[in-house]
Amino acid sequence: MKRILITGGAGFIGSHLCERLINEGHDVICLDNYFTGSKDNIRHLLDNHNFELVRHDITSPYFAEVDEVYNLACPASPPYYQYNPIKTMKTSIYGAMNTLGLAKRIRAKILQASTSEVYGDPEVHPQPESYWGHVNPIGIRSCYDEGKRAAETLFMDYYRQNGVRIKIIRIFNTYGPRMNPNDGRVVSNFIMQALRNEDITIYGTGLQTRSFQYIDDLIEGMTRMMATGDDFIGPVNIGNPGEFTMLELAQKVIDLTNSRSSIVHMPLPGDDPQQRKPDISLAMEKLNGWQPQIQLEEGLKKTITYFENHL
Ligand SMILES: NC(=O)c1ccc[n+]([C@@H]2O[C@H](COP(=O)([O-])OP(=O)(O)OC[C@H]3O[C@@H](n4cnc5c(N)ncnc54)[C@H](O)[C@@H]3O)[C@@H](O)[C@H]2O)c1
């Protein structure tokens, strides 16, 4: 049994990770300030004596004796990370420094939940980890993209300078139950609009592509990454290489929900990437043959069932 700290543990991904690690018999501290997360996401774990909930903002230092740290705290959806962009930067950067400082002091392993956004609007397709990205440093998405890039830099410097036992994963678009239905991400937007028979809003032509990973595949990749030896630190892409246009996604959601919704187009927001698709060969090689098991239709069905119950 390990003692594990998960920052951002009450969020979408964090709550699934808490559940997985509790089910494996570990002692889990879930730290969150509830900016985008919710106690509802982890309510079912509260009675477990191995589970501890801490209200804390990771921009301030936090101390605990643990063996592993998963650093997930950061709003991930554009309307929320753009709500207070300075705070988003602080969460990424001070959050990285505070968790890395802790990991250094107690010799814990620490994993950073980085993102495919570090590749920006990519000129290389699909994106391998060796690609440095094409990111606008002064746009409306920069607080998130550059915050996450700076966090990766801090991880690498704590590793080189202090020998901290780091792991960096770059998560590609992930969806599933417990996504906030109103947080403005494309999968939750489309499903909610379809279930309510409202117009489905597509930004731009709808020909831009994304790859969608089901939450269980991410959690499997994440925990496998944490379990690797100290010689493999990443960064490693964790995502599903299946590539879909926004129009294809909208149509699939309409079909699966038997919705009467129509598709409408709205202007594209600034710096919206045109295409995204992970090259996952490194993950397959280093994480014992890990690869996504759940394809889009199956994952969408599970997510739609969750949102139906939520409504
Ligand atoms: N979901 C995705 O597709 C995706 C893709 C790439 C990277 N990620 C990364 O994974 C992590 C989790 O994302 P998610 O989709 O679960 O988002 P989420 O918004 O559901 O979860 C983030 C959690 O962090 C908490 N938080 C935010 N600021 C905090 C602070 N200052 N102190 C303490 N807690 C704070 C929120 O309350 C929330 O519970 C994020 O770091 C995100 O950048 C997610």
Side-chain angles (χ1 to χ4, degrees):
M1 183 177 89
K2 289 183 198 131
R3 294 160 305 171
I4 302 174
L5 170 65
I6 304 175
T7 76
F12 159 53
I13 296 174
S15 65
H16 286 272
L17 186 62
C18 287
E19 191 175 294
R20 162 78 180 251
L21 296 173
I22 284 287
N23 286 342
E24 285 178 0
H26 301 296
D27 204 7
V28 172
I29 303 175
C30 165
L31 176 155
D32 210 293
N33 71 349
Y34 307 119
F35 174 46
T36 51
S38 156
K39 280 189 193 156
D40 288 339
N41 288 338
I42 32 89
R43 196 173 295 284
H44 59 297
L45 301 175
L46 290 176
D47 287 340
N48 190 305
H49 65 280
N50 286 335
F51 186 70
E52 217 171 313
L53 190 56
V54 177
R55 180 191 288 266
H56 181 81
D57 191 310
I58 202 56
T59 55
S60 301
Y62 175 77
F63 302 98
E65 290 285 328
V66 291
D67 306 297
E68 294 177 350
V69 180
Y70 288 85
N71 186 34
L72 273 61
C74 186
S77 105
Y80 283 98
Y81 71 62
Q82 287 163 8
Y83 170 76
N84 183 344
I86 297 171
K87 174 72 191 230
T88 299
M89 269 293 218
K90 282 185 180 168
T91 296
S92 268
I93 294 172
Y94 295 162
M97 291 172 88
N98 288 330
T99 48
L100 282 161
L102 174 71
K104 176 184 162 194
R105 211 167 300 122
I106 60 178
R107 295 286 304 151
K109 265 190 188 179
I110 177 166
L111 180 145
Q112 168 67 356
S114 191
T115 167
S116 56
E117 302 292 337
V118 300
Y119 299 122
D121 191 3
E123 292 155 316
V124 171
H125 194 71
Q127 294 84 51
E129 292 82 355
S130 54
Y131 177 50
W132 290 354
H134 179 226
V135 179
N136 176 359
I138 56 170
I140 57 167
R141 299 172 71 104
S142 311
C143 60
Y144 183 74
D145 303 5
E146 296 289 17
K148 288 284 187 179
R149 285 168 68 94
E152 284 199 12
T153 307
L154 281 163
F155 268 69
M156 290 306 300
D157 286 334
Y158 268 78
Y159 166 73
R160 283 185 287 249
Q161 199 173 323
N162 299 120
V164 173
R165 302 161 68 204
I166 66 156
K167 309 273 170 198
I168 301 173
I169 59 168
R170 292 182 178 155
I171 303 171
F172 283 65
N173 231 321
T174 303
Y175 69 97
R178 297 200 209 115
M179 288 182 95
N180 178 342
N182 304 310
D183 78 353
R185 286 189 251 192
V186 63
V187 174
S188 45
N189 268 1
F190 285 4
I191 295 178
M192 291 306 284
Q193 289 167 333
L195 289 177
R196 292 177 168 142
N197 293 307
E198 295 167 359
D199 287 344
I200 294 203
T201 38
I202 288 194
Y203 297 101
T205 59
L207 297 176
Q208 66 272 39
T209 66
R210 293 289 185 281
S211 302
F212 300 101
Q213 162 173 245
Y214 189 67
I215 182 70
D216 293 359
D217 288 327
L218 168 63
I219 299 297
E220 183 61 33
M222 239 175 167
T223 49
R224 284 196 196 193
M225 179 61 174
M226 187 60 112
T228 55
D230 287 347
D231 54 332
F232 183 58
I233 59 171
V236 61
N237 291 336
I238 308 281
N240 188 325
E243 193 179 7
F244 297 88
T245 67
M246 293 303 101
L247 278 170
E248 286 169 330
L249 177 68
Q251 199 52 57
K252 253 189 202 305
V253 170
I254 289 174
D255 294 345
L256 291 173
T257 51
N258 291 320
S259 173
R260 297 190 302 279
S261 298
S262 323
I263 293 175
V264 297
H265 293 263
M266 305 268 280
L268 203 60
D271 294 332
D272 201 48
Q274 275 310 301
Q275 50 182 15
R276 271 294 164 63
K277 173 178 167 161
D279 177 334
I280 57 164
S281 24
L282 185 65
M284 288 170 67
E285 180 198 329
K286 297 288 188 181
L287 308 180
N288 290 330
W290 170 88
Q291 56 179 314
Q293 302 297 316
I294 298 177
Q295 296 314 322
L296 187 60
E297 195 156 316
E298 186 187 348
L300 282 178
K301 282 184 188 158
K302 292 174 192 249
T303 313
I304 289 167
T305 305
Y306 169 80
F307 281 109
E308 274 169 345
N309 294 335
H310 205 85
L311 270 175

